[in-house]
Amino acid sequence: QVQLIESGGGLVQAGGSLRLSCAASIGTNSRYPMGWFRQAPGKEREFVAAISWSGSTTYYADSMKGRFTISRDNAKNTVYLQMNSLEPEETAVYYCAAGDNMDPVVNMQQAPAYWGKGTLVTVSS
């Protein structure tokens, strides 16, 4: 059983930055790929970023254009998403996600196995 809890959302001005955190109820020796998705009002949920269990491999959606960085600290069972140069259209609920233990990270772009409840990010103009 995997439980994911996001934090760090809030209100930020356009051009500003936020760092989201995801605390996972998994052991330090587990091998779960992790990632982030977001869903803006009236839009489909979309992939943002993913990271392998070791942190050695990462994937990003093309629309992020290098502004976002995903990382993880397995000793703390925590995954992070650093978001820079935020724009108002990126206002959304951001969801932490995880794949099955030992699944390859590439599959995170299509089929996460576990979801957090989300944290709201609001970017004002």
Side-chain angles (χ1 to χ4, degrees):
Q1 190 176 29
V2 175
Q3 186 178 42
L4 307 173
I5 302 177
E6 304 95 336
S7 63
L11 178 65
V12 63
Q13 284 190 299
S17 300
L18 282 176
R19 188 177 76 159
L20 306 181
S21 298
C22 175
S25 62
I26 58 176
T28 57
N29 293 324
S30 299
R31 297 187 177 186
Y32 291 91
M34 304 288 292
W36 292 90
F37 290 72
R38 70 184 183 187
Q39 188 167 19
K43 296 185 178 180
E44 299 286 329
R45 186 173 298 187
E46 65 176 339
F47 170 76
V48 174
I51 188 167
S52 63
W53 71 269
S54 68
S56 62
T57 304
T58 58
Y59 292 92
Y60 297 94
D62 290 340
S63 61
M64 304 305 136
K65 298 182 178 180
R67 297 178 296 113
F68 292 6
T69 302
I70 188 171
S71 61
R72 68 190 298 166
D73 184 344
N74 287 341
K76 298 180 179 179
N77 293 338
T78 302
V79 176
Y80 305 96
L81 183 68
Q82 178 68 45
M83 304 185 293
N84 299 325
S85 301
L86 286 164
E87 301 174 357
E89 59 265 30
E90 294 177 301
T91 293
V93 176
Y94 284 71
Y95 296 91
C96 183
D100 285 324
N101 193 34
M102 298 182 65
D103 277 0
V105 64
V106 67
N107 291 342
M108 283 291 300
Q109 299 177 73
Q110 292 88 28
Y114 308 98
W115 294 93
K117 294 182 178 180
T119 185
L120 177 63
V121 173
T122 302
V123 185
S124 65
S125 59

